[in-house]
Amino acid sequence: MKQSIFTIKENIALTSNVYKMLLVGDTTDITNCGQFVNIKLDGLFLRRPISVCDCEGDTLTLIYKVVGKGTEQMAKMCAGEKLDVLTGLGNGYDTSLSGNAPMLLGGGVGVPPMYMLCKKLISEGKRVSVVLGFNKADEVFYENEFKALGASVTVTTVDGSYGVKGFVTDVMKNADYSYFYTCGPEPMLKAVYNTSVREGQFSFEERMGCGFGACMGCSCKTITGYKRICKEGPVMKKEEILWEK
């Protein structure tokens, strides 16, 4: 973990409430896809955890949804402003288990961490299929960016206004894949768990206090005991997950 000051290079809207922010600074502690950063914002006590979408050289790409005071504040920030950022948080995805034809499933703001993962898997020579799930057409983002990487991309919308009507699991249940990786809201993750016929890895979203394991506020129960989403997670393997009833 490293605390650094980043400079905003760009902060643009991708949809009505989803923004893409490019930051320039010390990215050396970002070593794996699936990690996250924790951002300090003026006037707010807790930092805001945001998944890493991409990291190349000294440029960090974050995609975030405006859902409260913190992200509202971020959406109003402009190029040249500074941010205090904790980097290198979380364990990230293990691509050594992917097999030759991994499937990536992202739902809503669970889509961004899939991008850096997709880049890594393709660089390893894997045949990657990506399923992106949204509620409706005007919420869709990053479809073309995944295609540009060379992945096979399917978009689903709950209302059928774009792509395949339904959920990411409607595509998954008819797909041939060697392994899967997923990130999204918990109901989606549970549905993926119940639909999957292969092993895989899940990235969990959770409210965090410190973001680096000290406060124990984001602990969850697994088959090997309690784990902290921010420290031992956010990525967990399918076989270690215990779902609350």
Side-chain angles (χ1 to χ4, degrees), residues 11 17 42 58 64 80 90 111 117 120 170 180 197 205:
N11 192 28
N17 64 352
D42 291 342
D58 63 355
Y64 61 96
V111 167
L117 173 62
K120 184 176 181 181
D170 292 315
F180 70 88
V197 295
E205 301 171 351

Side-chain angles (χ1 to χ4, degrees), residues 154-194:
T154 304
V155 176
T156 69
T157 52
V158 176
D159 67 358
S161 55
Y162 187 85
V164 176
K165 183 177 182 178
F167 303 95
V168 295
T169 47
D170 292 315
V171 176
M172 185 185 204
K173 64 186 178 184
N174 297 313
D176 182 20
Y177 56 95
S178 57
Y179 197 82
F180 70 88
Y181 300 87
T182 186
C183 183
E186 190 166 307
M188 184 198 107
L189 298 184
K190 192 170 185 179
V192 168
Y193 182 94
N194 291 329

Side-chain angles (χ1 to χ4, degrees), residues 2-186:
K2 182 178 290 184
Q3 183 177 2
S4 302
I5 302 299
F6 281 74
T7 302
I8 298 175
K9 181 178 180 181
E10 182 179 75
N11 192 28
I12 60 172
L14 298 179
T15 71
S16 61
N17 64 352
V18 173
Y19 286 74
K20 176 181 178 180
M21 178 180 282
L22 299 183
L23 297 171
V24 177
D26 183 356
T27 63
T28 54
D29 267 27
I30 301 172
T31 58
N32 195 13
C33 44
Q35 290 183 301
F36 67 96
V37 299
N38 225 3
I39 299 174
K40 181 175 176 59
L41 296 166
D42 291 342
L44 299 176
F45 178 67
L46 295 178
R47 290 175 180 263
R48 266 43 182 185
I50 307 289
S51 297
V52 172
C53 175
D54 197 15
C55 181
E56 194 166 323
D58 63 355
T59 301
L60 173 65
T61 303
L62 306 178
I63 294 178
Y64 61 96
K65 183 178 182 179
V66 176
V67 293
K69 289 182 179 179
T71 44
E72 284 177 1
Q73 188 171 322
M74 287 176 62
K76 296 174 182 176
M77 300 186 79
C78 300
E81 292 190 60
K82 308 289 185 180
L83 280 174
D84 182 323
V85 183
L86 295 180
T87 62
L89 301 174
N91 59 352
Y93 291 105
D94 182 353
T95 61
S96 69
L97 303 173
S98 71
N100 292 322
M103 172 174 279
L104 280 52
L105 304 106
V109 287
V111 167
M114 296 289 102
Y115 181 77
M116 188 172 172
L117 173 62
C118 186
K119 280 180 66 175
K120 184 176 181 181
L121 288 166
I122 287 177
S123 73
E124 294 172 352
K126 308 302 172 58
R127 177 169 53 85
V128 181
S129 58
V130 177
V131 187
L132 308 177
F134 303 93
N135 289 314
K136 51 187 179 179
D138 62 7
E139 296 180 0
V140 177
F141 64 89
Y142 253 52
E143 176 187 8
N144 292 331
E145 285 80 355
F146 278 98
K147 287 181 177 178
L149 294 178
S152 171
V153 182
T154 304
V155 176
T156 69
T157 52
V158 176
D159 67 358
S161 55
Y162 187 85
V164 176
K165 183 177 182 178
F167 303 95
V168 295
T169 47
D170 292 315
V171 176
M172 185 185 204
K173 64 186 178 184
N174 297 313
D176 182 20
Y177 56 95
S178 57
Y179 197 82
F180 70 88
Y181 300 87
T182 186
C183 183
E186 190 166 307

